[in-house]
Amino acid sequence: MPVKLSTYLKNTYGEKIYRLSLSSGCTCPNRDGTLGYRGCSFCSEGGSGEFAQGPDFIRDQDKGMTSEFFDVDAQIERAKALIRNKTGATRFIAYFQSYTNTYGDVGRLKELYKKAISREDIVGLSLGTRPDCLGPEVMDMLKELSAIKPVWIELGLQTIHEDTAKRVRRGYELSVFEDAYRSLKQAGITVIVHVIFGLPGESTEDMLDTIRFLSALDPALDGIKIQNLQILKGADMYKEYLDDVNSGTGDFHIMSMEEYTDVVARAIALLPKETVVHRMTGDGPRKLLVEPLWSLDKKRVLNMLTAKTKDLLT
Ligand code: SF4
């Protein structure tokens, strides 16, 4: 039976561990012009990381210019202050979520991440990235970092279906993911895969085929994050969605909460016992979210998911 993240962390560290959302200052090949400028069509301008701490700024009075810099200690302290009163937490995972956190100057990134995981209050590092941004230099960095503290690599696969991947402009083929997965596992890195349910044109069976593929990976998948498609203002998919609604002929289907939670429960039932379930629903920025509006009532969604998966997860 797969395991909930909270159970896994409690078993591993003996206490509740919280993630601190931080920024590395990376961009994304799907946004800087290497693969494209507009990003995956579902991705918001914040690179799917609206809740992360931002950079610090320094002003050069002589030149009259302000430039940004990434002081990881300052970001960690700010992120801790946000949750300290609510949680009383003392140990954390440094989570670099937005954009592609292995895409940039490897020397700078290594220094930044080393600084984060050298702190006593940080138990591990989690980096959101793409499977086409894991070249040899990056792999060496990940091996070096993982000798200090556990490193989790989060890959935004979203779907195994090439038609959907092209349509949402993911920018790499499934074989790229498979190669990256193999290399990461050989290097002893924990891999967490992100999947989106409800992408346009996908049936329930298509979504479950993505889960079947992930469940058959060898070695077994370490972790999964499942979320519902969110139509966000500022993302290109919003326009596609509006065209679809206005023409009445498109193939967007915004799942109801009941439909979505049913598919998630079916997906969880397919996962191997080694897989840790990190997330079962999306957490979109309220001010940008267009659909599905039910996802704003996170408590209700989580209650329904808990009820439907109670015999499927430990
Ligand atoms: S790869 Fe990630 S950050 Fe880049 S455009 Fe796609 S979702 Fe956004």
Side-chain angles (χ1 to χ4, degrees):
M1 200 184 277
V3 191
K4 272 188 282 192
L5 178 64
S6 52
T7 312
Y8 170 80
L9 290 173
K10 196 90 196 280
N11 291 346
T12 308
Y13 297 102
E15 62 182 283
K16 240 178 155 179
I17 303 289
Y18 289 83
R19 266 175 300 202
L20 303 176
S21 277
L22 311 170
S23 298
S24 67
C26 290
T27 174
C28 167
N30 229 356
R31 286 196 172 273
D32 72 356
T34 303
L35 295 173
Y37 289 100
R38 302 205 55 86
C40 303
S41 63
F42 53 80
C43 180
S44 60
E45 279 171 27
S48 301
E50 273 72 14
F51 304 113
Q53 288 299 313
D56 290 273
F57 293 94
I58 190 161
R59 178 130 183 105
D60 184 328
Q61 296 294 359
D62 294 339
K63 292 185 184 154
M65 275 168 57
T66 302
S67 48
E68 61 178 27
F69 68 104
F70 291 82
D71 178 342
V72 80
D73 284 322
Q75 286 192 46
I76 288 173
E77 290 306 328
R78 284 201 298 269
K80 275 168 64 175
L82 285 178
I83 60 171
R84 190 178 294 130
N85 292 343
K86 277 187 277 177
T87 64
T90 57
R91 294 201 292 163
F92 310 88
I93 290 165
Y95 179 32
F96 293 85
Q97 172 183 14
S98 41
Y99 301 107
T100 302
N101 293 286
T102 58
Y103 184 62
D105 181 276
V106 176
R108 182 186 79 81
L109 291 175
K110 186 156 68 176
E111 200 183 312
L112 186 87
Y113 299 147
K114 246 189 187 164
K115 205 166 178 196
I117 55 173
S118 301
R119 293 172 56 113
E120 272 192 20
D121 53 358
I122 299 295
V123 298
L125 179 71
S126 188
L127 303 178
T129 189
R130 300 167 50 92
D132 54 355
C133 294
L134 295 165
E137 243 195 303
V138 169
M139 290 302 295
D140 286 345
M141 170 182 81
L142 297 179
K143 282 184 220 163
E144 203 179 315
L145 295 170
S146 67
I148 306 171
K149 298 252 172 90
V151 174
W152 298 352
I153 285 293
E154 306 202 14
L155 298 176
L157 176 69
Q158 324 307 357
T159 176
I160 58 159
H161 301 287
E162 301 288 10
D163 289 353
T164 318
K166 279 202 187 98
R167 177 167 174 179
V168 303
R169 297 196 307 254
R170 188 182 64 190
Y172 66 82
E173 293 182 353
L174 185 60
S175 58
V176 177
F177 166 83
E178 290 176 294
D179 291 345
Y181 184 78
R182 218 170 295 124
S183 305
L184 287 164
K185 291 312 300 168
Q186 273 166 6
I189 308 288
T190 297
V191 183
I192 298 153
V193 174
H194 293 209
V195 168
I196 296 180
F197 283 173
L199 288 167
E202 288 209 349
S203 66
T204 302
E205 278 310 305
D206 291 333
M207 299 172 217
L208 294 175
D209 279 344
T210 292
I211 302 298
R212 288 184 189 104
F213 168 87
L214 293 172
S215 302
L217 287 172
D218 183 17
L221 181 64
D222 298 299
I224 190 165
K225 284 186 173 175
I226 304 174
Q227 73 161 76
N228 47 287
L229 175 69
Q230 295 182 331
I231 311 285
L232 299 175
K233 284 180 200 149
D236 280 0
M237 193 172 273
Y238 178 42
K239 188 178 173 306
E240 204 186 329
Y241 168 71
L242 286 180
D243 289 347
D244 182 283
V245 171
N246 292 334
S247 69
T249 56
D251 54 2
F252 271 81
H253 171 62
I254 303 296
M255 283 189 282
S256 67
M257 183 161 48
E258 286 70 19
E259 274 177 284
Y260 175 72
T261 51
D262 276 351
V263 192
V264 172
R266 289 179 66 190
I268 302 290
L270 294 169
L271 291 171
K273 64 178 186 342
E274 295 89 348
T275 304
V276 177
V277 177
H278 287 242
R279 189 205 282 156
M280 293 193 284
T281 183
D283 205 3
R286 184 172 282 266
K287 63 180 191 310
L288 298 181
L289 186 73
V290 179
E291 283 285 5
L293 291 173
W294 52 258
S295 66
L296 290 174
D297 192 348
K298 204 167 170 198
K299 205 167 162 200
R300 200 162 148 239
V301 184
L302 285 176
N303 283 344
M304 194 174 277
L305 283 166
T306 305
K308 289 186 183 179
T309 59
K310 70 177 186 321
D311 299 325
L312 304 170
L313 276 170
T314 55

